[in-house]
């Protein structure tokens, strides 16, 4: 901008007179007249308005409230994460248990008798010629040893008896008394299954009568082929008259009953036994009552029985449609193993209306064997032992619930989906640098919903700031642990330190934990929003803020000549500073003939034309400004600075050097700015010079 242009003497005189001058009333000599005059060069006229902060764009919004106080807002979404669907009882290791068939009940094999032992055999034929003859008496006699085979027992081949009896019956259909005493030896006919027992009848058995003796078979192994050995004495007719009947006879019968055997080769009737066990539930979770949404149970049954068996598995704690879980398995000789997976969806576990946790999951198995005469094996006999068994392996899957009531003993943790939101504060106006802006009170308001049980959130908030090349400049983080519930779904997190680094983005992540007594469904979830509305509070260290840009003032050749001819008497800087903000510091007006003097770092030195303290405003009780502070600028430049105006261009820059806001009265250094705050700087150079008309005339004539 040219202030003066080359002109004629007459033109210059017009300018000078228009600016105002005085001629001497009485010239001292015949020399040409001289007089003093003034002209001005504008240097600065700029207002820095803090309302420019509201021009920031981006995901965050900076606004001023009704009182003019700046706020920055931030809002992000806390994405939904389910709790109920993730609550689970972990799978348990496979549990194997078994049960032996134990004592085997055998049906009574009936009564087996010896062939008839005739009177003729008992007396060795001594009375064979007297058949039908009545004798006064038959004398006492010694009976011979007589062996007779019992008929074969048809229902077993061999048994090892745990419990059972053999009833031996001697029926005397002869005319003489038997025994005095009578000894019966019962023995096996199979050498591979030895058995011998002697039974004595001490009392004589009268004619036409019978006597019985019971033998305890416990611990004996019997075969189905046995014989008896009869021996002893006889009282004859015991002095009574008797009619000889050589065909009269004696029989010995054996009846086995009440058999419980340890092993047998026999027809095995229906047997029944039970087996039970229980598996502990996941110790991290105590279930009072729940409805299972997914998961199942695998039941693997293996029969080590030589007979067919039907097994019913019942789990009383698992109920659907008011009936406990039951599953029937058919184990066969040719198919001794069966594996079933049972989907437990919609089963209820425990007592939802109860108060006592379910300690374990009990299993009851009822095993019923099939009669060997009716089973899948055509052989009616089976070789069986009390050690034969049924084995079960039960594996419970991880169970998830559509409803769960119980106690979470060991905290169950869920990951919160990461959320990242940008905060665009990189476009702050020049001079309002983020290094000296802070938030005294900044809180994230976290609003949640969907909660029907207390949830502990462990949140990690990370703020990061990057330079223009994407290199991390500063990182700040904060961890916050808080419990939310249906009654207290919202909470505040103080994030002043985080936001004060002026991050480019804020990331929220963390975990959610549930523990203790809960009553939730698979619809239980947590979602919400994270909101911030923080007043912008400034804490200044030592900062330089530019007020306006670099201005360029062109100096005309005529003006430069005035300075070259040393006709300038003085140069005064005149103006004013209006300060309508709570910050203190100095106003500097810098000048240089080289524009690089204002670079950082400066390449050349700039002259300080004005150095003035910011005038302090008058404050209201609430901290707002009642009246701006005004300060006049009236500075006479040192002649050493006249050289500036001998240059074609003078570069001028206005700066405000802000003092630290940390003072004895304000040790924390917090100051609030308002959108009505501003700094106005206006200055001009007033140049006073002496005009020599004679010199000007000479120059004109030349």
């Amino acid at each position: 901008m040219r202030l003066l242009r080359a002109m004629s003497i007459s033109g210059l005189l017009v300018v000078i007179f228009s600016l105002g001058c005085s001629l001497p009333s009485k010239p001292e000599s015949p020399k040409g007249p001289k007089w003093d005059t003034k002209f001005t060069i504008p240097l600065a006229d700029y207002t820095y308005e803090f309302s420019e902060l509201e021009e920031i764009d981006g995901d965050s919004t900076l606004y001023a409230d009704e009182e003019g106080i700046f706020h920055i807002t931030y809002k992000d979404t806390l994405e939904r994460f389910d709790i109920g669907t993730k609550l689970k009882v972990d799978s348990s290791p496979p549990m194997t248990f078994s049960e032996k068939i134990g004592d085997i009940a055998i049906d009574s094999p009936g009564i087996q008798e010896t062939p008839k032992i005739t009177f003729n055999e008992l007396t060795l034929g001594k009375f064979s010629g007297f058949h039908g003859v009545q004798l006064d008496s038959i004398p006492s006699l010694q009976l011979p040893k007589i062996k007779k085979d019992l008929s074969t027992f048809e229902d077993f081949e061999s048994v090892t008896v745990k419990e059972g009896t053999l009833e031996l019956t001697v029926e005397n259909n002869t005319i003489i008394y038997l025994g005095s005493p009578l000894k019966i030896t019962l023995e096996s006919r199979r050498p591979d299954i030895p058995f011998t027992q002697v039974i004595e009848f001490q009392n004589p058995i009268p004619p036409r009568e019978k006597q019985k003796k019971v033998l305890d078979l416990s611990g004996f192994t019997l075969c189905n082929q046995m014989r008896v050995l009869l021996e002893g004495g006889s009282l004859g007719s015991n002095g009574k008259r008797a009619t000889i009947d050589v065909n009269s006879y004696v029989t010995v019968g054996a009846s086995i009953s009440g058999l419980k055997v340890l092993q047998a080769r026999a027809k095995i009737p229906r047997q029944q036994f039970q087996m039970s066990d229980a598996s502990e539930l996941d110790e991290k979770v105590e279930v009072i009552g729940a409805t299972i949404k997914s998961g199942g149970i695998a039941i693997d049954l293996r029969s080590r029985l030589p007979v067919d068996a039907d097994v019913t598995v019942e789990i009383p704690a698992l109920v659907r449609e008011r009936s406990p879980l039951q599953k029937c398995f058919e184990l066969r000789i040719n198919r001794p193993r069966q594996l079933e997976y049972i989907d437990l969806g919609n089963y209820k576990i425990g007592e939802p209306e109860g108060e006592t946790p379910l300690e374990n999951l009990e299993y009851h198995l009822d095993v019923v064997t099939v009669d060997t005469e009716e089973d899948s094996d055509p052989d009616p006999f089976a070789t069986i032992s009390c050690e034969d068994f049924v084995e079960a392996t039960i594996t419970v899957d991880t169970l998830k619930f559509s409803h769960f009531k119980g106690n979470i003993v060991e905290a169950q943790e869920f990951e919160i989906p990461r959320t990242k939101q940008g905060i665009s504060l990189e476009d702050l106006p020049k001079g309002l640098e983020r290094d000296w802006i802070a938030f005294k009170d900044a809180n994230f308001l976290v609003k949640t919903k969907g909660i029907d049980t207390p949830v502990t959130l462990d949140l990690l908030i990370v703020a990061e700031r990057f330079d223009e090349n994407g290199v991390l400049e500063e990182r700040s983080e904060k961890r916050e642990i808080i419990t939310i519930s249906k009654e207290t779904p919202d909470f505040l997190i103080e994030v002043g330190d985080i936001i004060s680094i002026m991050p480019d983005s804020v990331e929220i992540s963390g975990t959610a934990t549930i523990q203790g007594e809960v009553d939730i469904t698979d619809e239980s979830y947590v979602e919400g929003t994270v909101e911030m509305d923080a007043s912008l509070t400034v804490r200044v260290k030592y900062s330089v803020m530019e007020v306006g840009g670099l201005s360029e003032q062109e100096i005309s050749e005529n003006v430069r000549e005035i300075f070259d001819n040393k006709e300038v008497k003085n140069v005064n800087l005149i103006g004013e500073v209006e300060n309508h903000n709570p910050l203190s510091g100095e106003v500097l007006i810098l000048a240089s003939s080289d524009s690089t003097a204002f670079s950082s770092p400066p390449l050349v030195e700039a002259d300080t034309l004005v150095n003035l303290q910011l005038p302090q405003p008058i404050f209201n009780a609430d901290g707002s400004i009642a009246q701006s502070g005004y300060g006049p600028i009236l500075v006479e430049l040192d002649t050493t600075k006249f050289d500036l105006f001998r240059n074609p261009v003078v570069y001028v820059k206005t700066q405000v050097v802000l003092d630290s806001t940390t003072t004895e009265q304000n040790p924390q250094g917090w100051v609030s700015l308002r959108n009505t705050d501003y700094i106005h700087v206006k200055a001009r150079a007033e140049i006073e010079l002496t005009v020599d008309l004679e010199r000007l005339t000479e120059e004109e004539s030349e």
Side-chain angles (χ1 to χ4, degrees):
M1 176 177 64
R2 295 190 177 276
L3 301 176
L4 296 176
R5 300 182 185 277
M7 59 184 69
S8 64
I9 294 176
S10 58
L12 178 58
L13 290 175
V14 171
V15 172
I16 291 173
F17 279 114
S18 67
L19 291 174
C21 63
S22 61
L23 293 174
S25 57
K26 293 181 180 181
E28 296 178 356
S29 67
K31 295 181 180 179
K34 294 182 181 180
W35 63 91
D36 296 336
T37 188
K38 299 177 183 178
F39 67 93
T40 61
I41 300 176
L43 295 178
D45 188 357
Y46 186 79
T47 301
Y48 181 90
E49 296 177 332
F50 285 88
S51 59
E52 292 182 24
L53 285 170
E54 294 182 273
E55 298 175 4
I56 298 174
D57 295 325
D59 298 322
S60 57
T61 302
L62 195 65
Y63 75 96
D65 62 19
E66 294 178 354
E67 297 179 357
I69 297 176
F70 287 107
H71 293 251
I72 185 168
T73 62
Y74 166 89
K75 187 171 183 178
D76 199 358
T77 300
L78 194 63
E79 293 186 12
R80 171 174 174 151
F81 60 93
D82 296 323
I83 292 178
T85 57
K86 295 182 180 179
L87 182 63
K88 63 184 184 302
V89 172
D90 287 335
S91 61
S92 57
M95 187 195 69
T96 299
F97 60 101
S98 62
E99 188 68 36
K100 298 174 183 177
I101 190 172
D103 301 342
I104 303 159
I106 302 292
D107 291 340
S108 174
I111 299 175
Q112 302 301 326
E113 293 184 339
T114 62
K116 295 176 180 178
I117 305 172
T118 64
F119 176 77
N120 210 31
E121 289 180 87
L122 292 172
T123 58
L124 297 176
K126 292 179 180 181
F127 298 94
S128 60
F130 296 92
H131 180 69
V133 177
Q134 187 179 44
L135 301 178
D136 291 335
S137 67
I138 298 174
S140 299
L141 58 114
Q142 189 67 29
L143 299 176
K145 292 183 178 180
I146 299 175
K147 284 187 178 182
K148 292 291 183 177
D149 291 345
L150 288 169
S151 299
T152 300
F153 289 98
E154 299 296 335
D155 290 344
F156 74 93
E157 291 182 5
S158 64
V159 291
T160 298
V161 181
K162 181 181 181 182
E163 295 179 12
T165 58
L166 183 146
E167 186 178 74
L168 194 68
T169 302
V170 178
E171 187 173 356
N172 183 12
N173 290 311
T174 67
I175 57 175
I176 60 176
Y177 286 79
L178 291 180
S180 181
L182 180 67
K183 184 170 71 172
I184 303 291
T185 301
L186 184 66
E187 62 183 14
S188 170
R189 288 188 279 149
R190 289 180 56 177
D192 58 322
I193 306 176
F195 174 81
T196 302
Q197 284 292 302
V198 177
I199 303 170
E200 289 189 0
F201 293 83
Q202 295 293 335
N203 298 320
I205 304 173
R208 307 293 188 266
E209 292 188 17
K210 57 185 176 183
Q211 284 190 17
K212 297 180 179 181
K213 288 286 185 176
V214 175
L215 176 65
D216 184 0
L217 295 177
S218 300
F220 291 106
T221 297
L222 305 178
C223 69
N224 62 340
Q225 300 174 24
M226 304 181 73
R227 68 167 62 94
V228 296
L229 173 62
L230 183 148
E231 58 184 317
S234 172
L235 297 177
S237 63
N238 200 20
K240 298 177 182 179
R241 295 178 65 85
T243 299
I244 302 299
D245 183 357
V246 295
N247 294 318
S248 62
Y249 60 89
V250 173
T251 58
V252 179
S255 173
I256 299 174
S257 62
L259 277 181
K260 287 186 178 181
V261 303
L262 300 178
Q263 60 184 20
R265 169 69 181 163
K267 294 178 181 179
I268 308 300
R270 179 181 180 271
Q271 308 290 311
Q272 185 172 7
F273 63 97
Q274 286 75 37
M275 51 193 295
S276 298
D277 211 325
S279 62
E280 293 185 357
L281 296 173
D282 183 358
E283 61 183 11
K284 300 189 293 294
V285 178
E286 292 179 346
V287 180
I288 294 176
T291 302
I292 299 171
K293 183 176 183 179
S294 65
I297 186 169
I299 303 175
D300 185 3
L301 292 184
R302 295 171 298 280
S303 173
R304 299 294 191 270
L305 301 173
V307 295
D308 292 349
D310 295 328
V311 182
T312 301
V313 179
E314 181 176 303
I315 307 176
L318 294 172
V319 177
R320 186 167 64 184
E321 297 178 355
R322 300 185 179 180
S323 298
L325 186 152
Q326 281 190 347
K327 179 67 180 179
C328 295
F329 295 78
E330 295 181 352
L331 303 179
R332 298 296 178 254
I333 296 172
N334 60 351
R335 185 168 43 84
R337 182 178 183 183
Q338 190 172 352
L339 173 64
E340 288 284 343
Y341 180 83
I342 302 173
D343 184 358
L344 297 181
N346 296 320
Y347 272 91
K348 298 184 183 299
I349 181 171
E351 296 290 340
E353 304 302 322
E355 298 295 333
T356 304
L358 184 67
E359 294 183 358
N360 49 45
L361 210 54
E362 295 182 351
Y363 314 107
H364 300 308
L365 280 70
D366 186 53
V367 183
V368 179
T369 66
V370 180
D371 191 309
T372 54
E373 292 190 288
E374 300 174 0
D375 67 6
S376 59
D377 189 344
D379 185 355
F381 278 59
T383 302
I384 196 168
S385 166
C386 64
E387 297 294 320
D388 295 334
F389 62 92
V390 170
E391 183 178 71
T393 298
I394 297 181
T395 306
V396 181
D397 272 354
T398 295
L399 301 180
K400 294 186 177 181
F401 307 100
S402 57
H403 171 253
F404 179 90
K405 177 184 178 182
N407 184 35
I408 308 300
V409 178
E410 184 176 315
Q412 296 211 11
E413 192 173 88
F414 316 102
E415 185 174 350
I416 297 174
R418 289 177 179 269
T419 177
K420 191 170 186 177
Q421 181 76 18
I423 300 183
S424 298
L425 294 177
E426 67 274 7
D427 295 329
L428 287 170
K430 185 67 173 175
L432 193 57
E433 303 296 341
R434 36 176 146 184
D435 287 341
W436 53 269
I437 289 181
F439 293 87
K440 180 180 180 182
D441 297 306
N443 295 290
F444 277 170
L445 172 60
V446 182
K447 298 180 179 180
T448 62
K449 62 180 180 179
I451 311 148
D452 51 16
T453 194
V455 179
T456 299
L457 301 180
D458 186 349
L459 297 177
L460 178 64
I461 305 171
V462 177
E464 294 180 327
R465 190 178 79 198
F466 298 87
D467 65 13
E468 58 185 11
N469 297 317
V471 178
L472 181 65
E473 282 186 328
E474 190 169 358
R475 185 179 192 272
S476 181
E477 66 178 49
K478 182 181 181 72
R479 185 180 180 190
E480 187 81 9
I481 299 176
I482 193 162
T483 298
I484 56 176
S485 64
K486 185 182 295 185
E487 293 75 23
T488 56
D490 303 338
F491 58 94
L492 290 173
I493 302 176
E494 204 290 314
V495 292
D497 291 342
I498 292 254
I499 302 301
S500 291
I501 73 167
M502 292 297 158
D504 297 304
S505 63
V506 173
E507 180 180 86
I508 301 175
S509 62
T511 57
T513 302
I514 56 175
Q515 190 172 16
E517 295 182 359
V518 298
D519 190 347
I520 59 178
T521 70
D522 59 347
E523 296 296 322
S524 299
Y525 66 94
V526 175
E527 69 177 2
T529 58
V530 181
E531 301 176 5
M532 182 187 73
D533 189 332
S535 59
L536 185 63
T537 308
V538 178
R539 177 165 56 189
V540 179
K541 301 175 185 177
Y542 175 84
S543 298
V544 176
M545 185 171 68
E546 296 181 4
V547 180
L550 181 66
S551 64
E552 178 182 320
Q553 305 295 340
E554 294 185 8
I555 308 300
S556 69
E557 183 178 350
N558 296 80
V559 174
R560 295 199 304 271
E561 287 178 359
I562 292 173
F563 279 93
D564 287 339
N565 294 327
K566 299 182 180 181
E567 294 174 346
V568 176
K569 294 180 63 175
N570 54 60
V571 177
N572 293 314
L573 297 186
I574 299 173
E576 65 178 7
V577 175
E578 182 183 358
N579 182 30
H580 192 283
N581 90 93
L583 304 176
S584 63
E586 297 175 306
V587 176
L588 302 179
I589 299 178
L590 308 176
S592 175
S593 60
D594 189 340
S595 61
T596 61
F598 308 99
S599 61
S600 180
L603 301 180
V604 296
E605 186 176 352
D607 289 320
T608 301
L609 302 183
V610 174
N611 186 335
L612 179 68
Q613 288 292 320
L614 274 176
Q616 287 301 292
I618 298 174
F619 294 93
N620 293 315
D622 63 357
S624 62
I625 295 175
Q627 181 178 327
S628 299
Y630 292 90
I633 298 175
L634 182 56
V635 178
E636 183 175 347
L637 292 184
D638 188 278
T639 56
T640 58
K641 293 184 171 58
F642 287 4
D643 289 342
L644 276 173
F645 300 96
R646 295 186 175 95
N647 296 289
V649 178
V650 174
Y651 298 94
V652 180
K653 190 171 189 178
T654 304
Q655 291 182 339
V656 176
V657 179
L658 297 174
D659 295 333
S660 171
T661 54
T662 303
T663 63
E664 184 176 347
Q665 294 75 22
N666 184 14
Q668 297 298 318
W670 296 109
V671 177
S672 291
L673 294 177
R674 301 173 188 248
N675 69 337
T676 54
D677 291 339
Y678 59 88
I679 298 173
H680 181 207
V681 180
K682 185 174 184 180
R684 65 187 184 277
E686 188 173 88
I687 301 171
E688 184 177 351
L689 56 88
T690 299
V691 178
D692 185 343
L693 186 59
E694 182 179 347
R695 182 183 65 79
L696 291 175
T697 304
E698 291 175 357
E699 290 179 356
E700 183 72 16
S701 64
E702 292 176 358

